[in-house]
Amino acid sequence: MELTKAVEKLDKYHDRLKTGKAAKIKPSHLKKVAEKLRASEIALRAELEEATKADKKERLERKLAFVREQQARARWLTEQLDG
């Protein structure tokens, strides 16, 4: 799963925005990160439906919450670039 790389890119984009280098962020790159996060969410939801052990379900729910938080960050960053 490419979740780690997607989150790292999102962190770098946030750092660029903070330092005033937002012009270097390409909307197409941000869109690609958002698509990867969406794919991760779909995969995690499918895995969660198949999970039978409580501890595995709990772990997957934490991962899913993390992915959704990153999606919110990506949406916020997109709004900042568009605005």
Side-chain angles (χ1 to χ4, degrees):
M1 186 179 300
E2 295 291 324
L3 181 58
T4 306
K5 288 182 182 181
V7 172
E8 288 174 1
K9 283 186 178 187
L10 193 55
D11 288 340
K12 287 179 184 179
Y13 293 156
H14 273 273
D15 291 343
R16 287 183 196 168
L17 185 65
K18 287 180 186 177
T19 59
K21 298 179 181 176
K24 293 184 178 181
I25 301 172
K26 293 183 179 180
S28 61
H29 291 173
L30 189 55
K31 183 178 179 180
K32 188 182 290 187
V33 170
E35 288 172 1
K36 287 182 181 183
L37 288 169
R38 178 71 179 141
S40 293
E41 179 188 16
I42 291 168
L44 285 169
R45 285 189 356 215
E47 194 174 345
L48 182 61
E49 287 179 14
E50 295 175 4
T52 57
K53 294 182 180 180
D55 60 335
K56 185 170 183 175
K57 284 185 178 185
E58 184 179 320
R59 182 178 56 83
L60 291 171
E61 287 172 354
R62 283 194 311 266
K63 282 185 175 183
L64 193 55
F66 177 75
V67 167
R68 288 179 177 155
E69 178 183 319
Q70 298 307 310
Q71 288 174 325
R73 290 179 66 208
R75 282 191 299 273
W76 178 84
L77 186 55
T78 301
E79 291 171 4
Q80 297 302 309
L81 293 176
D82 291 342

